[in-house]
RNA sequence: CGGGGUAUAGCUCAGCCUGGUAGAGCACUGGUUUUGGGAACCAGGGGUCGCGAGUUCGAAUCUUGCUGCCCCGACCA
């Protein structure tokens, strides 16, 4: 993409009312624009990041054996009456009526919807287990939206739902998602720590929140330092194997959010030098809820013995739009965003310092074409902005690699490669620069 | 939902107290000089001062009702 043909309305001023860095940076880089409290439009740059995150989540869901489908944003009140949640769910649920006065709602979650689909589609134990997921916009009319996309009212969420014949087997589905989440967050450039979460009336040990550590996190969290160091499961993990050893490795250390925190246990189980007390952002939540919806909504299958069995389910959420903010919270500096490679909106930023200079144009265009041909997505600043402005903008939007092409360097056959994260810059011949960038791209 | 704040140009804000021709910086348009870390100068464009009612000869400014947005608290991916 040529910047001269793009829509990327960056700003120098810090927008009023944006408190935290990620929100400020998303507004300043022109990733999003607010359209109402907690409701945002995604401009081209922001949408690219959102799509990249989605793609990684999708790959890891698929790898774990989950099946993608897509349910609507608008749901009928009927199924919520069936589960009993229509009255339980408070003002957070946006209720609407159509022209025939039929009661509808903008879905805050999809347990009812998926349970209806599954019970109407599956009648035999042979079709279990299944894990189904979708990536869809949700709406929760939060009392107080804040922190930009980190707590919006409208938000993009990946939610998966598992259907198993009994609790024992449901546990296996739960483990699949657990491992899948570890891999997903790792690929997003984050260290997410699974922490035991409140299981409510269901009880048991099958609920975890995945938390990333950040000063602006909404809740206090406590964990063992080891959890920041355990390597995530590799991509050749076989999800059909017994995953228990992995789960044990990740759940044997102390980790709790403030609601579940037990100071005495923390102090006795974790040596003082291994204790981490920090703030955390919840980016995922997995939950086994058993027969809660399948019982109320009569989601049953016939077993081999001819008996009807009520299915056991769990739900598994990832806050996709929240992750955009969370990643920025975890990865920025005073000059702007520092994108992890896997989710950067472009792979490389090419700065043509002097458009109109024949040699600079020629080299910039050549680099642009060659890198694009190798599958690298490039943003080329071919505007007439001054050099200082271009550098500042490129640092602000945080592309991992910058290629700086100036008339002076070009004259002696060199361009400059800058690593956004370290700030290191090196002059290279054009050929070497291309080769190096391609090589480093292929590593990831 | 309770408490507090705020609303003036695309953005950040001043002006309001003490009523009298709507301002600055940044951004934008044209020009000159610049040109490797957010340039200088010249000339421009751009505003129902959130909306309604009232007071007044006259309201961005005073009074009042409403709405949006933001912050603090309890709730949430």
């Amino acid at each position: 993409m040529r910047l001269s043909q793009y829509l990327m309305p960056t700003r120098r001023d810090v927008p009023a009312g944006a408190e935290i860095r990620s929100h400020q940076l998303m507004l300043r880089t022109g990733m999003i624009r607010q359209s109402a409290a907690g409701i945002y439009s995604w401009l081209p740059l922001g949408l690219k990041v959102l799509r990249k995150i989605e793609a990684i989540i999708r790959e890891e869901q698929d790898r774990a054996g989950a099946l993608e489908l897509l349910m609507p944003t608008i749901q009928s009140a009927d199924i919520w009456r069936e589960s009993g949640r229509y009255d339980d769910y408070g003002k957070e649920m946006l209720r609407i009526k159509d022209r025939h006065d039929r009661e509808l709602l903008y879905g805050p979650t999809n347990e009812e919807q998926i349970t209806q689909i599954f019970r109407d589609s599956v009648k035999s134990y042979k079709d279990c287990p299944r894990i189904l997921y979708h990536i869809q916009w949700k709406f929760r009319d939060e009392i107080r939206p804040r922190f930009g996309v980190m707590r919006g009212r409208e938000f993009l969420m990946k939610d998966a739902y598992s259907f198993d014949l009994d609790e024992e087997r449901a546990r296996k589905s739960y483990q699949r998602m657990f491992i899948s989440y570890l891999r997903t967050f790792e690929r997003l450039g984050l260290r997410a720590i699974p922490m035991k979460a409140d299981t409510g009336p269901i009880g048991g040990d099958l609920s975890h929140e995945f938390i990333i550590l950040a000063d602006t996190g909404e809740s206090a969290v406590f964990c063992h330092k080891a959890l920041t160091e355990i390597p995530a499961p590799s991509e050749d993990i076989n999800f059909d194997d017994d995953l228990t050893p992995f789960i044990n490795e990740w759940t044997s250390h102390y980790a709790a959010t403030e609601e579940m925190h037990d100071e005495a246990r923390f102090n006795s189980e974790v040596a003082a030098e291994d204790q981490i007390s920090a703030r955390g952002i919840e980016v995922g939540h997995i939950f086994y809820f058993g027969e809660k919806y399948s019982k109320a909504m009569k989601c049953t299958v016939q077993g081999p013995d001819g008996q009807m069995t009520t299915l056991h389910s769990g739900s598994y959420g990832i806050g996709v739009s929240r992750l955009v903010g969370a990643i920025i919270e975890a990865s920025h500096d005073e000059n702007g965003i520092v994108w992890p490679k896997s989710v950067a909106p472009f792979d490389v930023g090419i700065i043509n310092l002097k458009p109109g200079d024949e040699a600079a144009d020629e080299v910039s265009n050549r680099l642009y074409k060659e890198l694009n041909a190798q599958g690298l997505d490039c943003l080329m600043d071919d505007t007439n902005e001054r050099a200082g402005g271009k550098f500042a903008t490129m640092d602000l939007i945080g592309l991992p690699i910058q290629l700086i092409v100036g008339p002076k360097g070009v004259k002696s056959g060199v361009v400059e490669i800058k690593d956004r994260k370290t700030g290191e810059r090196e002059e290279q011949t054009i050929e070497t620069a291309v080769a190096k960038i391609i090589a480093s791209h292929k590593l990831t």
Side-chain angles (χ1 to χ4, degrees):
Chain A
M1 177 57 64
R2 290 168 194 274
L3 188 55
S4 63
Q5 295 167 24
Y6 203 45
L7 179 71
M8 196 177 81
T10 55
R11 293 197 202 301
R12 284 173 75 170
D13 285 319
V14 176
E19 294 285 304
I20 61 170
R21 291 287 282 155
S22 62
H23 190 194
Q24 293 172 353
L25 288 168
M26 288 181 76
L27 291 166
R28 287 189 56 208
T29 53
M31 293 176 67
I32 53 168
R33 283 289 110 100
Q34 177 166 321
S35 78
I39 301 179
Y40 295 86
S41 292
W42 292 77
L43 305 194
L45 192 73
L47 184 61
K48 285 201 118 195
V49 176
L50 196 62
R51 292 289 187 242
K52 288 210 164 185
I53 294 172
E54 270 184 59
I56 288 172
I57 292 172
R58 194 169 272 126
E59 281 178 33
E60 293 302 330
Q61 289 289 293
D62 293 350
R63 192 196 302 280
L67 306 166
E68 186 172 13
L69 48 67
L70 183 60
M71 292 178 270
T73 54
I74 306 287
Q75 303 180 30
S76 161
D78 295 350
I79 50 174
W80 285 71
R81 290 224 165 80
E82 219 178 309
S83 73
R85 280 211 290 182
Y86 194 68
D87 297 322
D88 293 351
Y89 225 98
K91 288 187 170 177
E92 270 193 358
M93 185 153 78
L94 181 65
R95 296 151 207 261
I96 47 186
K97 281 185 179 170
D98 69 8
R99 60 165 70 194
H100 302 293
D101 250 11
R102 279 186 291 243
E103 292 177 288
L104 301 173
L105 55 99
Y106 197 116
T109 178
N110 288 69
E111 280 84 4
E112 284 80 0
Q113 190 90 75
I114 194 72
T115 302
Q116 182 188 39
I117 290 170
F118 203 79
R119 91 171 163 203
D120 292 349
S121 314
V122 171
K123 296 291 163 195
S124 161
Y125 73 95
K126 293 173 189 166
D127 291 321
C128 292
R130 290 291 184 276
I131 302 175
L132 302 167
Y133 76 97
H134 78 338
I135 298 176
Q136 179 62 291
W137 292 93
K138 311 257 186 290
F139 192 90
R140 292 182 195 170
D141 199 357
E142 297 285 344
I143 294 165
R144 185 150 92 84
R146 63 181 126 173
F147 303 150
V149 299
M150 295 256 283
R151 174 124 63 118
R153 289 193 292 173
E154 189 184 48
F155 56 97
L156 187 62
M157 182 174 170
K158 185 287 299 182
D159 42 328
Y161 304 90
S162 61
F163 295 90
D164 281 280
L165 295 169
D166 55 39
E167 180 176 346
E168 196 45 43
R169 281 178 263 212
R171 183 176 291 270
K172 293 201 162 68
S173 294
Y174 184 91
Q175 292 183 337
R176 279 179 185 254
M177 287 295 110
F178 191 108
I179 299 297
S180 168
Y181 275 33
L182 292 174
R183 285 196 41 75
T184 302
F185 295 123
E186 195 78 359
R187 286 187 61 193
L188 293 172
L190 296 170
R191 168 47 54 119
I193 300 170
M195 301 197 177
K196 194 170 276 190
D198 191 0
T199 49
I202 307 285
D205 58 348
L206 293 180
S207 179
H208 288 87
E209 292 178 3
F210 287 75
I211 303 277
I212 66 169
L213 304 180
D215 295 339
T216 46
E218 295 196 72
S219 54
V221 297
F222 308 86
C223 69
H224 192 294
K225 192 170 135 224
L227 287 164
T228 61
E229 291 155 358
I230 304 174
S234 79
E235 74 172 359
D236 34 66
I237 184 167
N238 183 349
F239 279 89
D240 294 326
D241 289 347
D242 182 12
L243 301 172
T244 311
F246 290 100
I247 307 291
N248 286 346
E249 187 182 14
W250 281 86
T251 54
S252 59
H253 300 286
Y254 187 95
T257 60
E258 55 192 329
E259 301 84 46
M260 300 290 288
H261 184 53
D262 178 343
E263 186 73 24
R265 240 194 76 204
F266 188 44
N267 289 327
S268 73
E269 283 183 22
V270 185
E273 67 269 22
D274 290 332
Q275 290 186 353
I276 294 181
S277 300
R279 300 200 66 81
I281 301 169
E282 182 183 352
V283 288
H285 195 165
I286 60 178
F287 201 88
Y288 165 74
F289 51 71
E291 301 177 323
K292 182 171 177 191
Y293 300 97
S294 46
K295 203 170 214 168
M297 297 181 68
K298 302 188 177 57
C299 184
T300 57
V301 296
Q302 197 166 24
D305 55 358
Q307 296 296 304
M308 299 306 284
T309 310
T310 301
L311 295 178
H312 287 247
S313 291
S315 69
Y316 314 91
I318 293 180
V320 183
S321 47
R322 165 178 286 189
L323 270 167
V324 180
I327 291 169
I328 296 172
E329 283 301 321
S331 184
H332 68 266
D333 63 19
E334 63 282 1
N335 295 320
I337 301 170
V338 181
W339 288 115
K341 274 185 188 166
S342 58
V343 297
F346 294 91
D347 301 310
V348 181
I350 301 171
I351 299 178
N352 181 351
L353 282 176
K354 192 165 185 183
D357 178 284
E358 211 172 301
D361 286 350
E362 195 267 319
V363 170
S364 303
N365 286 329
R366 194 173 122 204
L367 289 167
Y368 181 70
K369 274 189 200 147
E370 286 183 19
L371 291 172
N372 273 325
Q374 292 292 321
L376 280 90
D377 197 7
C378 303
L379 179 67
M380 179 161 73
D381 188 342
D382 57 344
T383 64
N384 288 316
E385 188 72 30
R386 299 168 58 81
K390 292 189 175 191
F391 292 134
T393 299
M394 205 53 89
D395 283 350
L396 179 66
I397 66 170
L399 306 183
I401 300 171
Q402 297 173 16
L403 250 182
I404 301 160
V405 182
K408 288 175 199 160
V410 164
K411 216 172 273 180
S412 40
V414 297
V415 294
E416 202 169 289
I417 303 178
K418 176 177 165 183
D419 182 315
R420 173 64 180 85
K421 190 171 187 173
T422 62
E424 283 166 20
R425 305 195 291 183
E426 49 173 356
E427 287 200 329
Q428 294 290 350
T429 65
I430 296 159
E431 291 71 23
T432 312
V434 170
K436 279 192 95 152
I437 289 173
I438 291 169
S440 81
H441 181 66
K442 294 215 163 121
L443 284 178
T444 53

